[in-house]
Amino acid sequence: MAEPMKIRATLAGDVADIKVLMNHVMETGTRKDAKTGQLVPAHHINSIVATLGGKTVLQAEIGGAVSKNPFLGFKVKGAKAGDKVTVSWVDNKGDKNSAEATVG
């Protein structure tokens, strides 16, 4: 089960500044376990989707080159106070996670 994400959305004028911390191991599949010497299986986020008020504002495809616990920051123009921001991801093992915040 995925650990919860931290998400924050602040408003400056009509631009929402959205910051997300995704807790994930982000294993590349090329690292060896120090004790067993066996390769640690790949386990990383594949896709990220962000919506603002139900409208998709960001879609990203990422891979194992991204560090553990990825941080994502982006800005969206046209936001209003009280809008709901939802960020969700899916990893290569099919695990999913989602978090929601209110623009304020």
Side-chain angles (χ1 to χ4, degrees), residues 7-10 16-20 72-76 85 87:
I7 181 170
R8 183 174 59 187
T10 57
D17 186 13
I18 301 161
K19 296 178 178 172
V20 185
L72 176 67
F74 59 98
K75 295 181 180 186
V76 179
V85 176
V87 176

Side-chain angles (χ1 to χ4, degrees), residues 25-32 40-44 63-67 92:
V25 295
M26 298 300 287
E27 285 290 347
T28 63
T30 59
R31 184 176 68 84
K32 288 185 178 180
V40 177
H43 188 195
H44 53 79
V66 177
S67 67
N92 66 320

Side-chain angles (χ1 to χ4, degrees), residues 53-73:
K55 180 181 173 189
T56 300
V57 293
L58 178 135
Q59 283 185 302
E61 301 293 325
I62 65 172
V66 177
S67 67
K68 181 179 180 179
N69 299 328
F71 176 80
L72 176 67

